[in-house]
Amino acid sequence: MLLIGGLPAHILLVHAVVVFGPLAGLSAVTYGLAGRTRRYLAWPLGALALILAPLALVTASAGEQLQSTRGATDAIQAHARQGDILKVTAVVFFFLVLLMLAATFTPLASRIPALASLQRSRPARTAALALGVLAGLFVIYQSVITGHSGSFSVWGG
């Protein structure tokens, strides 16, 4: 089992996911709905999505290690199922953020010529922004649900 400072890594890593998940989701929603913020949010949003995906995978792996050493109650199994959903959600979110940025962020398209046609297509931009907003909302939701099920498994009785 992976330990950090003598504590199971999952216990510490989960706090980063609880912060980065909703923050990345809120950034994606804001980026998608408030066009004037795109110039300022593009790089932070990309960085948050890039951090969240591997962080969710590592946190889930550490949780699985913790579960295998401590056993699994019904509440822990429910939390593990929610964690599996969050793990997939974070990876899908990363790719949808990339799509959203590719369709709307001009400095990115100027470096990758194939993206220029994506930016010229208004329906493609609109679809990419809509998918990004929906993904952001789902990341927020799934982060809260997963965190709640985890805290319930520890403190819920």
Side-chain angles (χ1 to χ4, degrees), residues 90-110:
V91 173
V92 171
F93 175 74
F94 170 72
F95 287 108
L96 289 175
V97 165
L98 283 181
L99 176 66
M100 186 167 55
L101 291 173
T104 59
F105 190 55
T106 305
L108 188 60
S110 66

Side-chain angles (χ1 to χ4, degrees), residues 23 46 61 67 90 132 146 148:
L23 186 58
S61 177
Q67 180 182 352
T146 304
H148 180 268

Side-chain angles (χ1 to χ4, degrees), residues 2 11 28 31 42-43 64 69 72 79 113 140 148-149 157:
L2 182 61
I11 294 170
Y31 185 92
W43 290 110
E64 291 164 1
T69 62
H79 174 60
I140 294 168
H148 180 268
S149 68

Side-chain angles (χ1 to χ4, degrees), residues 61-77:
S61 177
E64 291 164 1
Q65 291 174 2
L66 180 61
Q67 180 182 352
S68 70
T69 62
R70 307 283 179 169
T73 64
D74 289 341
I76 290 173
Q77 289 176 351

Side-chain angles (χ1 to χ4, degrees), residues 4-157:
I4 298 174
L7 292 172
H10 182 74
I11 294 170
L12 299 173
L13 293 171
V14 74
H15 291 89
V17 174
V18 166
V19 170
F20 283 114
L23 186 58
L26 182 60
S27 296
V29 170
T30 303
Y31 185 92
L33 296 178
R36 66 186 181 282
T37 66
R38 291 184 191 141
R39 183 175 58 175
Y40 305 107
L41 276 181
W43 290 110
L45 173 58
L48 285 169
L50 182 62
I51 290 167
L52 180 62
L55 184 61
L57 295 172
V58 169
T59 303
S61 177
E64 291 164 1
Q65 291 174 2
L66 180 61
Q67 180 182 352
S68 70
T69 62
R70 307 283 179 169
T73 64
D74 289 341
I76 290 173
Q77 289 176 351
H79 174 60
R81 284 190 298 274
Q82 293 300 327
D84 288 340
I85 295 169
L86 181 58
K87 189 170 49 171
V88 172
T89 300
V91 173
V92 171
F93 175 74
F94 170 72
F95 287 108
L96 289 175
V97 165
L98 283 181
L99 176 66
M100 186 167 55
L101 291 173
T104 59
F105 190 55
T106 305
L108 188 60
S110 66
R111 292 188 178 136
I112 305 170
L115 297 179
S117 63
L118 180 62
Q119 285 194 344
R120 285 191 298 266
S121 170
R122 185 175 180 93
R125 279 194 323 269
T126 303
L129 288 169
L131 287 172
V133 168
L134 291 173
L137 290 171
F138 193 74
V139 162
I140 294 168
Y141 168 80
Q142 194 58 43
S143 296
V144 170
I145 294 300
T146 304
H148 180 268
S149 68
S151 65
F152 181 80
S153 72
V154 174
W155 304 106

